[in-house]
Amino acid sequence: MAPTLADPFSDPSALTDFVISQGNGVKGLSEVGLKALPKQYIQPLEERMCMTNIIAQESIPIIDMSNWEDPQVAKSICDAASKLGFFQIVNHAVPVEMLENVKEATYSFFGLPAEEKNKYSKEHSSSNNVRFGTSFSPQAEKALEWKDYLSLFYVSEEEASALWPPVCREQVLDYMRKSEVVIKQLLQVLMKGLNVNEIDATKESLLMGSTRTNLNYYPICPNPELTVGVGRHSDVSTLTILLQDEIGGLFVRGNQGDNWIHVPPIKGSLVINVGDALQILSNGRYRSVEHRVVANGSKNRISVPIFVNPRPGDMIGPLPELVESGEKPIYKQVLYSDYVKHFFRKAHDGKKTVEFAEL
């Protein structure tokens, strides 16, 4: 039951109970008809998006992948990965219809009753690989983020069939299977850009040995200017492949100071960004860049990232080919699962996670 509207969440435990324990998430908060944002979601001033810091005339590169082996296309990909850390791709191998199916499936999952979604929460899920949650890391955060998510860590077709929510399982699996073609194309180009000309089985496993997909839901927010959908962070992945809907709200840090670039939604496109793992493996040649999502006062927004990662038991550090050619390593070898644990132990804090691997 939703609390009455007088001052429904003046007691923090009432909010935690409603949002987390009962599985209503911020979607439930949004639908209660709150006139003001609960104080637990009010971000400190320095974490809020200042609209005067947006570089209006700038955008991230849009790269046509229809002829991905063309040296000019390859150059565009490597340039974007080293300068901005972000780009969008069009005419890739994932059919637009499949992307639309995933978006619909995301709405279907978040449209389930709270008690259905709650079966997949930390307390009730039958596996750590399937997790419905809210915000980023509620235990570590001083202020909560205005977002619900379903996180699906891919182990095998059998496990996915048995444990993933039936309402979105097939659509997400199709999307992941089809996107693997694009991921391999991108990694081939990016490795060539580092003069690593062959991706053998060991290297492929290091670059893309594990994958996770999130279905993200950012409901309408009563005071969007006071909070964030996702705080400033860089991803811990090798690459992230992001499908966003037509609403917009993703911002990437520009190269100068506290300036931000909006990533405009383009139908049928996928947003690609370099993650910390690739920054470390490339010895800093490719850059993972801070990004954030603003909350929206008038529309619900969804996004579906695929995080392409090393396996938890892999050691990550500058690739041997780079060090052997005389480059001085700027990162040490770290166990990937230790790196990821370090990321999830704290609130979003920009690019600080990568310091964990610095020499």
Side-chain angles (χ1 to χ4, degrees):
M1 266 301 290
T4 55
L5 263 181
D7 186 4
F9 301 111
S10 50
D11 171 9
S13 64
L15 180 107
T16 305
D17 182 58
F18 179 75
V19 173
I20 296 174
S21 310
Q22 294 177 37
N24 288 291
V26 285
K27 181 175 187 282
L29 276 185
S30 176
E31 289 168 355
V32 168
L34 294 176
K35 297 288 176 273
L37 192 69
K39 63 178 184 303
Q40 293 90 330
Y41 289 90
I42 297 177
Q43 294 285 333
L45 264 173
E46 65 275 13
E47 293 305 330
R48 296 180 208 167
M49 188 62 164
C50 176
M51 290 306 174
T52 55
N53 288 355
I54 294 162
I55 315 173
Q57 67 284 10
E58 221 173 297
S59 187
I60 64 170
I62 296 159
I63 299 173
D64 186 332
M65 288 286 283
S66 49
N67 188 8
W68 67 274
E69 288 174 299
D70 177 344
Q72 215 34 59
V73 175
K75 183 180 184 306
S76 302
I77 291 168
C78 295
D79 282 354
S82 51
K83 291 178 184 145
L84 269 173
F86 264 83
F87 52 99
Q88 293 205 62
I89 57 171
V90 292
N91 299 323
H92 46 73
V94 189
V96 172
E97 186 187 356
M98 196 174 275
L99 300 179
E100 293 304 313
N101 291 345
V102 174
K103 288 196 264 190
E104 272 175 42
T106 302
Y107 273 112
S108 299
F109 175 77
F110 288 102
L112 292 172
E115 55 273 19
E116 275 300 302
K117 290 182 289 198
N118 212 17
K119 289 177 183 170
Y120 303 99
S121 67
K122 188 177 182 179
E123 290 66 36
H124 304 115
S125 181
S126 53
S127 165
N128 273 340
N129 298 330
V130 182
R131 176 67 47 82
F132 165 64
T134 189
S135 192
F136 169 63
S137 183
Q139 298 71 29
E141 290 162 322
K142 291 191 175 73
L144 298 170
E145 300 179 347
W146 193 258
K147 176 188 95 164
D148 296 332
Y149 65 87
L150 174 69
S151 179
L152 301 165
F153 185 86
Y154 180 82
V155 176
S156 66
E157 294 276 327
E158 296 71 38
E159 182 179 288
S161 297
L163 300 178
W164 290 14
V167 72
C168 57
R169 176 175 58 218
E170 290 313 316
Q171 296 88 333
V172 174
L173 283 170
D174 281 349
Y175 171 47
M176 289 178 85
R177 282 185 210 111
K178 204 68 180 160
S179 67
E180 195 174 312
V181 178
V182 184
I183 292 159
K184 286 182 171 170
Q185 289 171 348
L186 290 168
L187 287 172
Q188 206 170 314
V189 166
L190 289 164
M191 287 300 107
K192 263 204 175 121
L194 301 173
N195 294 320
V196 177
N197 293 318
E198 198 211 336
I199 301 182
D200 59 14
T202 312
K203 193 151 271 116
E204 183 175 297
S205 173
L206 175 66
L207 293 166
M208 53 180 291
S210 73
T211 47
R212 180 164 65 87
T213 304
N214 272 19
L215 310 186
N216 294 329
Y217 189 91
Y218 304 92
I220 294 168
C221 179
N223 302 103
E225 70 290 348
L226 299 180
T227 190
V228 295
V230 177
R232 300 175 302 111
H233 70 288
S234 58
D235 295 343
V236 292
S237 56
T238 303
L239 286 179
T240 302
I241 287 80
L242 175 79
L243 168 63
Q244 59 170 347
D245 66 10
E246 68 290 345
I247 308 300
L250 170 65
F251 288 84
V252 176
R253 189 184 278 285
N255 286 329
Q256 272 87 44
D258 196 25
N259 285 330
W260 295 82
I261 299 164
H262 185 235
V263 179
I266 297 169
K267 193 173 172 62
S269 79
L270 291 167
V271 179
I272 310 294
N273 65 278
V274 171
D276 291 355
L278 185 55
Q279 176 170 318
I280 292 164
L281 290 162
S282 71
N283 204 28
R285 294 226 222 144
Y286 297 137
R287 297 175 56 217
S288 68
V289 172
E290 270 183 69
H291 50 286
R292 66 201 314 185
V293 174
V294 297
N296 191 302
S298 58
K299 293 190 171 90
N300 299 316
R301 175 181 184 264
I302 57 164
S303 70
V304 186
I306 296 176
F307 301 100
V308 180
N309 311 305
R311 291 171 308 179
D314 284 329
M315 297 298 291
I316 59 167
L319 290 167
E321 291 89 339
L322 302 179
V323 180
E324 283 157 15
S325 69
E327 269 189 42
K328 195 172 182 312
I330 54 176
Y331 301 105
K332 59 191 176 198
Q333 296 283 331
V334 295
L335 183 65
Y336 186 63
S337 60
D338 287 347
Y339 190 85
V340 173
K341 278 181 201 143
H342 177 66
F343 176 67
F344 281 105
R345 263 199 294 262
K346 55 195 178 47
H348 279 143
D349 57 3
K351 277 278 291 180
K352 288 203 179 134
T353 314
V354 83
E355 292 169 9
F356 183 78
E358 285 173 357
L359 278 169

